[in-house]
Structures are given as C-alpha cells and as structure tokens.
Coordinates of all heavy atoms in Angstrom, one line a residue:
M1 N -28.4 -8.3 -65.7 CA -29.1 -8.9 -66.8 C -29.0 -7.9 -68.0 O -29.1 -6.7 -67.9 CB -30.6 -9.1 -66.5 CG -31.3 -9.8 -67.6 SD -33.1 -9.9 -67.2 CE -33.1 -11.0 -65.8
E2 N -28.9 -8.5 -69.2 CA -28.8 -7.6 -70.4 C -30.2 -6.9 -70.7 O -31.2 -7.5 -70.5 CB -28.5 -8.5 -71.6 CG -28.2 -7.8 -72.9 CD -27.8 -8.7 -74.0 OE1 -27.3 -9.8 -73.7 OE2 -28.0 -8.3 -75.2
E3 N -30.1 -5.7 -71.1 CA -31.3 -4.9 -71.4 C -32.1 -5.6 -72.5 O -31.5 -6.0 -73.5 CB -31.0 -3.5 -71.8 CG -30.3 -2.7 -70.6 CD -31.2 -1.7 -70.0 OE1 -32.1 -1.3 -70.7 OE2 -30.9 -1.3 -68.9
K4 N -33.4 -5.6 -72.4 CA -34.2 -6.2 -73.5 C -34.3 -5.2 -74.7 O -34.5 -5.6 -75.8 CB -35.6 -6.5 -73.0 CG -35.7 -7.5 -71.9 CD -37.0 -7.6 -71.3 CE -37.0 -8.5 -70.1 NZ -38.3 -8.5 -69.3
I5 N -34.2 -3.9 -74.4 CA -34.3 -2.9 -75.4 C -33.1 -1.9 -75.2 O -32.8 -1.7 -74.0 CB -35.6 -2.1 -75.3 CG1 -36.8 -3.0 -75.5 CG2 -35.7 -1.0 -76.3 CD1 -38.1 -2.4 -75.2
N6 N -32.5 -1.4 -76.2 CA -31.5 -0.4 -76.1 C -32.2 1.0 -75.8 O -32.5 1.7 -76.7 CB -30.6 -0.3 -77.3 CG -29.4 0.7 -77.1 OD1 -29.4 1.5 -76.2 ND2 -28.4 0.5 -77.9
L7 N -32.4 1.2 -74.5 CA -33.2 2.4 -74.1 C -32.5 3.7 -74.5 O -33.2 4.7 -74.9 CB -33.4 2.4 -72.6 CG -34.0 1.1 -72.1 CD1 -34.1 1.2 -70.5 CD2 -35.4 1.0 -72.6
K8 N -31.2 3.8 -74.4 CA -30.5 5.0 -74.7 C -30.8 5.6 -76.1 O -30.8 6.8 -76.3 CB -29.0 4.9 -74.4 CG -28.7 4.8 -72.9 CD -27.2 4.9 -72.7 CE -26.9 4.9 -71.2 NZ -27.0 3.6 -70.7
E9 N -31.0 4.6 -77.0 CA -31.2 5.1 -78.4 C -32.6 5.4 -78.7 O -33.0 6.0 -79.7 CB -30.7 3.9 -79.4 CG -29.2 3.8 -79.4 CD -28.7 3.0 -80.6 OE1 -29.6 2.5 -81.4 OE2 -27.5 2.8 -80.7
L10 N -33.5 5.1 -77.8 CA -34.9 5.3 -78.0 C -35.5 6.6 -77.5 O -36.5 7.0 -77.9 CB -35.7 4.1 -77.4 CG -35.9 2.9 -78.3 CD1 -36.6 1.8 -77.5 CD2 -36.6 3.2 -79.6
N11 N -34.9 7.1 -76.5 CA -35.5 8.2 -75.8 C -34.6 9.1 -75.1 O -33.4 8.8 -74.9 CB -36.5 7.6 -74.8 CG -35.8 6.9 -73.7 OD1 -35.2 7.5 -72.8 ND2 -35.8 5.5 -73.8
I12 N -35.1 10.3 -74.7 CA -34.5 11.2 -73.7 C -35.4 11.4 -72.6 O -36.6 11.1 -72.7 CB -34.0 12.5 -74.4 CG1 -35.3 13.2 -75.0 CG2 -33.0 12.3 -75.5 CD1 -35.0 14.6 -75.5
R13 N -34.9 12.0 -71.5 CA -35.8 12.2 -70.4 C -35.7 13.7 -69.9 O -34.6 14.3 -70.0 CB -35.4 11.3 -69.2 CG -35.8 9.9 -69.5 CD -35.1 8.8 -68.7 NE -35.2 7.5 -69.3 CZ -36.3 6.8 -69.2 NH1 -37.3 7.1 -68.4 NH2 -36.4 5.6 -69.9
E14 N -36.8 14.2 -69.5 CA -36.9 15.6 -69.2 C -37.5 15.8 -67.8 O -38.4 15.1 -67.5 CB -37.7 16.4 -70.3 CG -37.0 16.4 -71.6 CD -37.8 17.2 -72.6 OE1 -39.0 17.4 -72.4 OE2 -37.2 17.6 -73.6
G15 N -37.0 16.8 -67.1 CA -37.6 17.3 -65.9 C -37.6 16.3 -64.8 O -37.0 15.2 -64.8
D16 N -38.2 16.8 -63.7 CA -38.3 16.0 -62.5 C -39.7 15.4 -62.4 O -40.6 16.1 -62.2 CB -38.0 16.8 -61.3 CG -38.1 16.1 -60.0 OD1 -38.2 14.8 -60.0 OD2 -38.0 16.7 -58.9
T17 N -39.7 14.1 -62.6 CA -41.1 13.4 -62.6 C -41.7 13.3 -61.2 O -42.9 13.2 -61.1 CB -40.9 12.0 -63.2 OG1 -40.0 11.2 -62.4 CG2 -40.4 12.0 -64.6
G18 N -40.8 13.3 -60.2 CA -41.3 12.8 -58.9 C -41.6 11.3 -59.0 O -41.4 10.7 -60.1
D19 N -42.1 10.8 -57.9 CA -42.4 9.3 -58.0 C -43.7 9.1 -58.7 O -44.7 9.8 -58.5 CB -42.6 8.8 -56.5 CG -41.2 8.5 -55.9 OD1 -40.4 7.8 -56.6 OD2 -41.0 8.9 -54.8
F20 N -43.7 8.1 -59.6 CA -44.9 7.9 -60.4 C -45.3 6.4 -60.3 O -46.3 6.0 -60.9 CB -44.8 8.4 -61.8 CG -43.7 7.9 -62.6 CD1 -43.8 6.7 -63.4 CD2 -42.4 8.5 -62.6 CE1 -42.7 6.2 -64.1 CE2 -41.4 8.0 -63.3 CZ -41.5 6.9 -64.1
I21 N -44.5 5.6 -59.7 CA -44.9 4.2 -59.4 C -44.8 3.9 -57.9 O -43.9 4.3 -57.3 CB -44.0 3.2 -60.1 CG1 -44.1 3.4 -61.7 CG2 -44.4 1.7 -59.8 CD1 -43.1 2.5 -62.4
S22 N -45.9 3.3 -57.4 CA -45.8 2.9 -56.0 C -46.1 1.4 -55.9 O -46.9 0.9 -56.7 CB -46.7 3.7 -55.1 OG -48.1 3.5 -55.5
H23 N -45.5 0.8 -54.9 CA -45.6 -0.7 -54.8 C -46.2 -1.0 -53.4 O -45.5 -0.6 -52.4 CB -44.2 -1.3 -54.9 CG -44.2 -2.8 -54.9 ND1 -43.2 -3.5 -54.3 CD2 -45.1 -3.7 -55.4 CE1 -43.5 -4.8 -54.4 NE2 -44.6 -4.9 -55.1
N24 N -47.3 -1.6 -53.3 CA -47.9 -2.0 -52.0 C -47.4 -3.4 -51.7 O -47.9 -4.4 -52.2 CB -49.4 -2.0 -52.1 CG -50.0 -2.3 -50.8 OD1 -49.5 -3.0 -49.9 ND2 -51.2 -1.8 -50.6
V25 N -46.3 -3.5 -50.9 CA -45.7 -4.8 -50.6 C -46.6 -5.8 -49.9 O -46.6 -7.0 -50.1 CB -44.4 -4.6 -49.8 CG1 -43.8 -5.9 -49.4 CG2 -43.4 -3.7 -50.5
D26 N -47.5 -5.2 -49.1 CA -48.5 -6.1 -48.4 C -49.4 -6.9 -49.4 O -49.7 -8.0 -49.1 CB -49.4 -5.3 -47.5 CG -48.6 -4.7 -46.3 OD1 -47.5 -5.3 -46.0 OD2 -49.0 -3.8 -45.7
N27 N -49.7 -6.3 -50.5 CA -50.5 -7.0 -51.5 C -49.7 -7.9 -52.4 O -50.3 -8.8 -53.1 CB -51.2 -6.0 -52.4 CG -52.4 -5.3 -51.7 OD1 -52.6 -5.5 -50.5 ND2 -53.0 -4.4 -52.4
C28 N -48.4 -7.8 -52.4 CA -47.6 -8.5 -53.4 C -47.5 -10.0 -52.9 O -47.2 -10.3 -51.8 CB -46.2 -7.9 -53.5 SG -45.1 -8.8 -54.6
T29 N -47.8 -10.9 -53.9 CA -47.7 -12.3 -53.6 C -46.4 -12.9 -54.1 O -46.1 -14.1 -54.0 CB -48.8 -13.1 -54.3 OG1 -48.7 -12.9 -55.8 CG2 -50.2 -12.6 -53.9
G30 N -45.6 -12.1 -54.8 CA -44.3 -12.6 -55.4 C -44.6 -13.5 -56.6 O -43.7 -14.3 -56.9
C31 N -45.7 -13.3 -57.3 CA -46.0 -14.1 -58.5 C -44.9 -13.9 -59.6 O -44.8 -14.8 -60.5 CB -47.4 -13.8 -59.0 SG -47.5 -12.2 -59.8
G32 N -44.3 -12.8 -59.7 CA -43.2 -12.6 -60.6 C -43.7 -12.0 -62.0 O -42.8 -11.8 -62.9
K33 N -45.0 -11.8 -62.2 CA -45.4 -11.3 -63.5 C -44.8 -10.0 -63.8 O -44.5 -9.7 -65.0 CB -46.9 -11.2 -63.5 CG -47.6 -12.6 -63.6 CD -49.1 -12.3 -63.7 CE -49.9 -13.7 -63.9 NZ -51.3 -13.4 -64.0
C34 N -44.7 -9.1 -62.9 CA -44.1 -7.7 -63.2 C -42.6 -7.9 -63.6 O -42.2 -7.2 -64.5 CB -44.2 -6.8 -62.0 SG -43.5 -7.5 -60.5
V35 N -41.9 -8.9 -63.0 CA -40.5 -9.1 -63.4 C -40.4 -9.6 -64.9 O -39.6 -9.1 -65.6 CB -39.9 -10.2 -62.5 CG1 -38.5 -10.5 -62.9 CG2 -40.0 -9.7 -61.0
L36 N -41.4 -10.4 -65.2 CA -41.3 -11.0 -66.6 C -41.7 -9.9 -67.6 O -41.2 -9.9 -68.7 CB -42.3 -12.1 -66.7 CG -41.8 -13.4 -66.0 CD1 -42.9 -14.5 -66.1 CD2 -40.6 -14.0 -66.7
I37 N -42.7 -9.1 -67.3 CA -43.2 -8.2 -68.4 C -42.5 -6.9 -68.5 O -42.5 -6.3 -69.6 CB -44.7 -7.9 -68.1 CG1 -45.4 -7.5 -69.4 CG2 -44.9 -6.8 -67.0 CD1 -46.9 -7.5 -69.4
C38 N -41.8 -6.4 -67.5 CA -41.1 -5.1 -67.6 C -40.0 -5.1 -68.7 O -39.0 -5.8 -68.6 CB -40.5 -4.7 -66.3 SG -39.7 -3.1 -66.3
P39 N -40.2 -4.3 -69.7 CA -39.2 -4.2 -70.8 C -37.8 -3.6 -70.4 O -36.9 -3.8 -71.1 CB -39.9 -3.4 -71.9 CG -40.8 -2.5 -71.1 CD -41.3 -3.3 -69.9
A40 N -37.8 -3.0 -69.2 CA -36.6 -2.3 -68.8 C -35.9 -3.1 -67.6 O -35.0 -2.6 -67.0 CB -36.9 -0.9 -68.4
N41 N -36.5 -4.2 -67.3 CA -35.9 -5.0 -66.2 C -35.8 -4.3 -64.9 O -34.8 -4.3 -64.2 CB -34.5 -5.5 -66.5 CG -34.5 -6.5 -67.7 OD1 -35.4 -7.3 -67.8 ND2 -33.5 -6.4 -68.5
L42 N -36.9 -3.6 -64.5 CA -36.9 -2.8 -63.3 C -37.4 -3.5 -62.1 O -37.3 -2.9 -61.0 CB -37.7 -1.5 -63.6 CG -37.1 -0.6 -64.6 CD1 -38.0 0.7 -64.8 CD2 -35.7 -0.2 -64.3
W43 N -38.0 -4.6 -62.2 CA -38.5 -5.4 -61.1 C -37.7 -6.6 -60.9 O -37.2 -7.3 -61.8 CB -40.0 -5.8 -61.3 CG -40.9 -4.6 -61.4 CD1 -41.3 -4.0 -62.6 CD2 -41.6 -4.0 -60.3 NE1 -42.2 -3.0 -62.2 CE2 -42.4 -3.0 -60.9 CE3 -41.6 -4.2 -59.0 CZ2 -43.2 -2.1 -60.1 CZ3 -42.4 -3.4 -58.2 CH2 -43.2 -2.4 -58.8
R44 N -37.5 -7.0 -59.6 CA -36.8 -8.3 -59.3 C -37.5 -8.9 -58.1 O -38.2 -8.2 -57.3 CB -35.3 -8.0 -59.0 CG -35.0 -7.3 -57.7 CD -33.5 -7.2 -57.5 NE -33.2 -6.8 -56.2 CZ -33.2 -5.6 -55.7 NH1 -33.6 -4.6 -56.5 NH2 -32.9 -5.3 -54.4
L45 N -37.3 -10.2 -57.9 CA -37.9 -10.8 -56.7 C -36.9 -11.0 -55.7 O -35.7 -11.4 -56.0 CB -38.5 -12.2 -57.1 CG -39.8 -12.2 -58.0 CD1 -40.1 -13.6 -58.3 CD2 -40.9 -11.5 -57.3
E46 N -37.3 -10.8 -54.4 CA -36.4 -11.0 -53.3 C -37.2 -11.4 -52.1 O -38.2 -10.7 -51.7 CB -35.6 -9.7 -53.0 CG -34.3 -10.0 -52.3 CD -33.5 -8.7 -52.2 OE1 -33.0 -8.2 -53.2 OE2 -33.4 -8.2 -51.0
K47 N -36.9 -12.5 -51.5 CA -37.7 -13.1 -50.4 C -39.2 -13.1 -50.6 O -39.9 -12.6 -49.7 CB -37.3 -12.2 -49.1 CG -35.8 -12.3 -48.7 CD -35.5 -11.5 -47.5 CE -34.0 -11.6 -47.2 NZ -33.6 -10.6 -46.2
G48 N -39.6 -13.5 -51.8 CA -41.0 -13.7 -52.0 C -41.8 -12.5 -52.3 O -43.0 -12.5 -52.4
K49 N -41.1 -11.4 -52.5 CA -41.8 -10.1 -52.9 C -41.0 -9.5 -54.1 O -39.8 -9.7 -54.2 CB -41.8 -9.1 -51.7 CG -42.4 -9.6 -50.5 CD -43.9 -9.5 -50.6 CE -44.6 -9.9 -49.2 NZ -46.1 -9.9 -49.3
S50 N -41.7 -8.7 -54.9 CA -41.0 -8.0 -55.9 C -40.5 -6.6 -55.4 O -41.1 -6.1 -54.4 CB -41.9 -7.7 -57.1 OG -43.0 -6.9 -56.8
I51 N -39.5 -6.2 -56.0 CA -38.8 -4.9 -55.6 C -38.6 -4.1 -56.9 O -38.1 -4.6 -57.9 CB -37.5 -5.1 -54.9 CG1 -37.7 -5.9 -53.6 CG2 -36.8 -3.8 -54.6 CD1 -36.4 -6.3 -52.9
L52 N -38.9 -2.8 -56.8 CA -38.7 -1.9 -58.0 C -37.4 -1.3 -57.8 O -37.0 -0.8 -56.7 CB -39.8 -0.8 -57.9 CG -39.8 0.2 -59.0 CD1 -39.9 -0.4 -60.4 CD2 -40.9 1.3 -58.8
A53 N -36.6 -1.2 -58.9 CA -35.3 -0.6 -58.9 C -35.4 0.8 -58.4 O -36.3 1.6 -58.7 CB -34.7 -0.6 -60.3
S54 N -34.4 1.2 -57.6 CA -34.4 2.5 -57.0 C -34.2 3.7 -58.0 O -34.7 4.8 -57.8 CB -33.3 2.6 -55.9 OG -32.1 2.4 -56.5
D55 N -33.6 3.3 -59.1 CA -33.4 4.3 -60.2 C -34.5 4.2 -61.3 O -34.2 4.6 -62.4 CB -32.0 4.2 -60.8 CG -31.8 2.9 -61.5 OD1 -32.6 2.0 -61.3 OD2 -30.8 2.8 -62.2
Y56 N -35.7 3.7 -61.0 CA -36.7 3.5 -62.0 C -37.1 4.7 -62.8 O -37.4 4.7 -64.0 CB -37.9 2.8 -61.4 CG -38.9 3.8 -60.7 CD1 -39.9 4.4 -61.4 CD2 -38.7 4.0 -59.3 CE1 -40.8 5.2 -60.8 CE2 -39.6 4.9 -58.7 CZ -40.6 5.5 -59.4 OH -41.5 6.4 -58.8
K57 N -37.0 5.9 -62.1 CA -37.4 7.1 -62.8 C -36.5 7.5 -64.0 O -36.9 8.1 -64.9 CB -37.4 8.3 -61.8 CG -38.5 8.2 -60.8 CD -38.6 9.4 -59.9 CE -37.7 9.1 -58.6 NZ -37.8 10.1 -57.6
D58 N -35.3 7.0 -63.9 CA -34.3 7.2 -65.0 C -34.4 6.2 -66.1 O -33.9 6.4 -67.2 CB -32.9 7.2 -64.5 CG -32.7 8.3 -63.5 OD1 -33.3 9.4 -63.6 OD2 -31.9 8.1 -62.5
R59 N -35.1 5.1 -65.9 CA -35.1 3.9 -66.8 C -36.4 3.5 -67.2 O -36.6 2.7 -68.2 CB -34.3 2.8 -66.2 CG -32.8 3.1 -65.9 CD -32.2 2.2 -65.0 NE -32.3 0.8 -65.4 CZ -32.3 -0.3 -64.6 NH1 -32.2 -0.1 -63.3 NH2 -32.5 -1.5 -65.1
C60 N -37.5 3.9 -66.6 CA -38.8 3.4 -66.8 C -39.3 3.8 -68.2 O -39.1 5.0 -68.6 CB -39.8 3.9 -65.8 SG -41.5 3.4 -66.0
M61 N -40.0 3.0 -69.0 CA -40.5 3.3 -70.3 C -41.9 3.9 -70.2 O -42.5 4.2 -71.2 CB -40.5 2.0 -71.2 CG -39.2 1.3 -71.3 SD -38.0 2.2 -72.2 CE -38.6 2.0 -73.8
E62 N -42.4 3.9 -69.0 CA -43.8 4.5 -68.8 C -44.8 3.7 -69.6 O -45.8 4.3 -70.2 CB -43.8 6.0 -69.1 CG -42.9 6.8 -68.2 CD -42.8 8.3 -68.5 OE1 -43.7 8.8 -69.2 OE2 -41.9 8.9 -68.1
C63 N -44.7 2.4 -69.7 CA -45.6 1.6 -70.4 C -46.8 1.2 -69.6 O -47.9 0.7 -70.1 CB -44.9 0.4 -71.0 SG -44.4 -0.8 -69.8
A64 N -46.7 1.2 -68.3 CA -47.7 0.8 -67.3 C -48.1 -0.7 -67.4 O -49.1 -1.1 -66.8 CB -49.0 1.6 -67.5
A65 N -47.2 -1.5 -68.0 CA -47.5 -2.9 -68.1 C -47.4 -3.6 -66.7 O -48.2 -4.5 -66.5 CB -46.5 -3.6 -69.0
C66 N -46.6 -3.1 -65.9 CA -46.5 -3.7 -64.5 C -47.8 -3.5 -63.8 O -48.3 -4.5 -63.1 CB -45.3 -3.1 -63.8 SG -45.3 -1.3 -63.7
E67 N -48.4 -2.4 -63.8 CA -49.6 -2.2 -63.1 C -50.7 -3.0 -63.8 O -51.5 -3.6 -63.1 CB -50.1 -0.7 -63.2 CG -51.4 -0.5 -62.5 CD -51.9 1.0 -62.7 OE1 -52.3 1.3 -63.9 OE2 -51.9 1.7 -61.8
S68 N -50.7 -3.1 -65.1 CA -51.8 -3.8 -65.8 C -51.7 -5.3 -65.5 O -52.8 -6.0 -65.4 CB -51.7 -3.6 -67.3 OG -51.8 -2.3 -67.7
I69 N -50.5 -5.9 -65.3 CA -50.4 -7.3 -65.2 C -50.6 -7.8 -63.8 O -50.9 -9.0 -63.5 CB -49.1 -7.8 -65.8 CG1 -49.3 -9.3 -66.2 CG2 -47.9 -7.6 -64.8 CD1 -48.3 -9.8 -67.2
C70 N -50.5 -6.9 -62.8 CA -50.5 -7.3 -61.4 C -52.0 -7.6 -61.1 O -52.9 -6.7 -61.1 CB -50.0 -6.3 -60.5 SG -50.0 -6.8 -58.8
D71 N -52.3 -8.8 -60.7 CA -53.6 -9.3 -60.3 C -54.0 -8.9 -58.9 O -55.1 -9.2 -58.4 CB -53.7 -10.8 -60.5 CG -53.6 -11.2 -61.9 OD1 -54.0 -10.5 -62.8 OD2 -53.0 -12.3 -62.1
Y72 N -53.1 -8.3 -58.1 CA -53.3 -8.1 -56.7 C -53.3 -6.7 -56.3 O -53.1 -6.4 -55.1 CB -52.2 -9.0 -55.9 CG -52.3 -10.4 -56.3 CD1 -51.4 -10.9 -57.3 CD2 -53.2 -11.3 -55.7 CE1 -51.5 -12.3 -57.6 CE2 -53.3 -12.6 -56.0 CZ -52.4 -13.1 -57.0 OH -52.5 -14.4 -57.4
N73 N -53.4 -5.8 -57.2 CA -53.4 -4.3 -56.9 C -52.2 -3.9 -56.1 O -52.3 -3.1 -55.2 CB -54.7 -3.9 -56.2 CG -55.9 -4.0 -57.2 OD1 -55.7 -3.7 -58.3 ND2 -57.0 -4.4 -56.6
A74 N -51.0 -4.5 -56.4 CA -49.8 -4.2 -55.6 C -49.0 -3.1 -56.3 O -48.1 -2.6 -55.7 CB -49.0 -5.5 -55.5
I75 N -49.4 -2.7 -57.5 CA -48.6 -1.7 -58.2 C -49.5 -0.6 -58.7 O -50.6 -0.9 -59.3 CB -47.9 -2.3 -59.5 CG1 -46.9 -3.4 -59.0 CG2 -47.2 -1.2 -60.3 CD1 -46.2 -4.1 -60.2
S76 N -49.1 0.6 -58.4 CA -49.9 1.8 -58.8 C -49.0 2.6 -59.7 O -47.9 3.0 -59.3 CB -50.4 2.6 -57.6 OG -51.0 3.8 -58.1
F77 N -49.5 2.9 -61.0 CA -48.7 3.7 -61.9 C -49.5 4.9 -62.3 O -50.7 4.8 -62.6 CB -48.4 2.8 -63.2 CG -47.8 3.6 -64.3 CD1 -46.4 3.7 -64.4 CD2 -48.6 4.3 -65.2 CE1 -45.8 4.4 -65.5 CE2 -48.0 5.0 -66.2 CZ -46.6 5.1 -66.3
M78 N -48.9 6.0 -62.3 CA -49.5 7.3 -62.8 C -48.5 8.0 -63.7 O -47.4 8.1 -63.4 CB -49.8 8.2 -61.6 CG -51.0 7.8 -60.8 SD -51.3 8.9 -59.4 CE -51.6 10.4 -60.3
F79 N -49.0 8.4 -64.9 CA -48.0 9.1 -65.8 C -47.5 10.3 -65.1 O -48.2 11.0 -64.4 CB -48.7 9.4 -67.1 CG -49.0 8.3 -68.0 CD1 -50.3 7.7 -68.1 CD2 -47.9 7.6 -68.7 CE1 -50.5 6.6 -68.9 CE2 -48.2 6.5 -69.5 CZ -49.5 6.0 -69.6
P80 N -46.2 10.6 -65.3 CA -45.6 11.8 -64.7 C -46.3 13.0 -65.3 O -46.9 13.0 -66.4 CB -44.1 11.7 -65.2 CG -43.9 10.3 -65.6 CD -45.2 9.8 -66.0
K81 N -46.2 14.1 -64.6 CA -46.8 15.3 -65.0 C -46.3 15.8 -66.3 O -45.1 15.5 -66.7 CB -46.7 16.4 -63.9 CG -45.2 16.8 -63.6 CD -45.2 17.9 -62.5 CE -43.8 18.3 -62.3 NZ -43.2 17.8 -61.1
G82 N -47.1 16.5 -67.1 CA -46.7 16.9 -68.5 C -45.4 17.6 -68.5 O -45.1 18.4 -67.7
G83 N -44.7 17.3 -69.6 CA -43.3 17.9 -69.8 C -42.2 17.3 -69.0 O -41.1 17.7 -69.1
T84 N -42.5 16.2 -68.3 CA -41.5 15.5 -67.6 C -41.5 14.0 -68.0 O -42.5 13.5 -68.5 CB -41.6 15.6 -66.0 OG1 -42.7 14.8 -65.6 CG2 -41.7 17.0 -65.6
G85 N -40.4 13.4 -67.8 CA -40.4 11.9 -68.1 C -39.8 11.6 -69.4 O -39.1 12.4 -70.0
I86 N -40.2 10.5 -69.9 CA -39.7 10.0 -71.2 C -40.2 10.7 -72.4 O -41.3 11.1 -72.4 CB -39.9 8.4 -71.3 CG1 -39.0 7.8 -72.3 CG2 -41.4 8.2 -71.6 CD1 -39.0 6.3 -72.1
K87 N -39.3 10.9 -73.3 CA -39.7 11.5 -74.6 C -39.1 10.6 -75.7 O -37.9 10.5 -75.8 CB -39.1 12.9 -74.7 CG -39.6 13.7 -75.8 CD -39.1 15.1 -75.7 CE -39.5 16.0 -76.8 NZ -38.9 17.4 -76.7
Y88 N -40.0 10.0 -76.5 CA -39.5 9.0 -77.4 C -39.0 9.7 -78.7 O -39.5 10.6 -79.2 CB -40.7 8.0 -77.8 CG -41.0 7.0 -76.7 CD1 -41.9 7.3 -75.8 CD2 -40.2 5.9 -76.7 CE1 -42.2 6.4 -74.8 CE2 -40.4 4.9 -75.7 CZ -41.4 5.2 -74.7 OH -41.6 4.3 -73.7
M89 N -37.9 9.2 -79.2 CA -37.2 9.8 -80.3 C -37.8 9.2 -81.6 O -37.6 9.8 -82.7 CB -35.7 9.4 -80.3 CG -35.0 9.9 -79.0 SD -35.0 11.7 -78.8 CE -33.7 12.1 -79.9
H90 N -38.4 8.1 -81.6 CA -38.9 7.5 -82.8 C -40.3 7.0 -82.6 O -40.7 6.7 -81.5 CB -38.1 6.2 -83.2 CG -36.6 6.5 -83.3 ND1 -36.0 7.2 -84.4 CD2 -35.6 6.3 -82.5 CE1 -34.7 7.3 -84.2 NE2 -34.4 6.7 -83.0
G91 N -41.1 7.0 -83.6 CA -42.5 6.5 -83.5 C -43.5 7.5 -83.0 O -43.2 8.7 -82.9
Ligands
SF4_1 S1 -47.2 -8.8 -60.4 FE1 -47.9 -7.9 -58.5 S2 -48.2 -9.6 -57.0 FE2 -46.9 -10.3 -58.7 S3 -44.8 -10.0 -58.0 FE3 -45.4 -8.1 -59.2 S4 -46.2 -6.7 -57.6 FE4 -46.1 -8.7 -56.7
SF4_2 S1 -44.2 1.2 -66.4 FE1 -43.2 -0.4 -67.9 S2 -41.1 0.1 -67.9 FE2 -41.9 1.1 -66.1 S3 -41.6 -0.3 -64.4 FE3 -43.7 -0.7 -65.2 S4 -43.4 -2.3 -66.8 FE4 -41.4 -1.5 -66.3

C-alpha cells in the first residue's frame, strides 16, 4: 500500500528504542480501527486479528493513535526512552 505520508522527508531516527508498542492479541476483536488510523500503515488484519509490522520501530511516527483508538485495551504504547526514536525535521 502507498504510504500516506512521505516519512523519509519528515524525520530521522536515533538510537535503539527497544520495543515500545505491545499488542494483546487476546483482547483484539479485529475491528480494524488501528489499521485505519495508523498514518504509517503499520497495522494489518489477518484472520480476524490485527498484526503490527515487524519493522514498526523503524517506521512508527510515535503518534500513539493506535493505542488511543483501540476500545479493547489491545494496544499498549509507551514513548521510547529519551534520545531514541523519531526526531522530526519540521514543526
Ligand atoms: S483497534 Fe484494537 S481491537 Fe481493533 S483491530 Fe486494532 S488492536 Fe484489535
Ligand atoms: S503510534 Fe502511530 S504510527 Fe506508530 S503504530 Fe501507532 S498509529 Fe501507527
């Protein structure tokens, strides 16, 4: 799928974030809201559950929209530790 935003022109990434998003598959109903809202297309549906892209640490915008929109507490987002992760070039 085509990227909704040209990520490469917006940011650089620094350091090792470690994992900062976790997905509780047992709570996931497959409603698809995370798929629709993620600006980086990092979620997809498969067999009635959502799946987070394995390379999300390299592409995530750290917007936390996926956690906010999930009505079933299936997504947990924590900002990466200071000095790591996305660094916006504009704004
Ligand atoms: S928004 Fe939550 S319940 Fe819905 S598909 Fe995504 S993780 Fe699953
Ligand atoms: S934090 Fe934002 S960019 Fe990252 S996976 Fe969630 S919705 Fe997508």
Side-chain angles (χ1 to χ4, degrees):
M1 186 186 293
E2 189 178 333
E3 297 252 340
K4 296 171 188 169
I5 300 172
N6 186 341
L7 302 176
K8 288 194 175 75
E9 288 194 0
L10 275 178
N11 64 77
I12 58 174
R13 289 162 197 277
E14 293 183 337
D16 180 7
T17 61
D19 279 312
F20 57 91
I21 298 176
S22 62
H23 184 220
N24 184 334
V25 177
D26 290 340
N27 286 1
C28 179
T29 64
C31 71
K33 286 184 175 180
C34 55
V35 178
L36 288 175
I37 204 164
C38 178
N41 294 326
L42 295 180
W43 295 90
R44 70 179 195 279
L45 288 178
E46 202 172 293
K47 297 179 182 170
K49 302 281 184 181
S50 66
I51 298 174
L52 179 61
S54 58
D55 63 346
Y56 80 89
K57 287 182 271 188
D58 298 326
R59 298 164 55 208
C60 178
M61 306 293 287
E62 298 175 19
C63 67
C66 51
E67 180 188 70
S68 299
I69 205 157
C70 182
D71 296 323
Y72 302 95
N73 291 324
I75 298 173
S76 174
F77 173 93
M78 288 178 58
F79 287 105
K81 60 181 184 260
T84 70
I86 199 165
K87 189 172 178 182
Y88 285 92
M89 304 295 283
H90 306 283

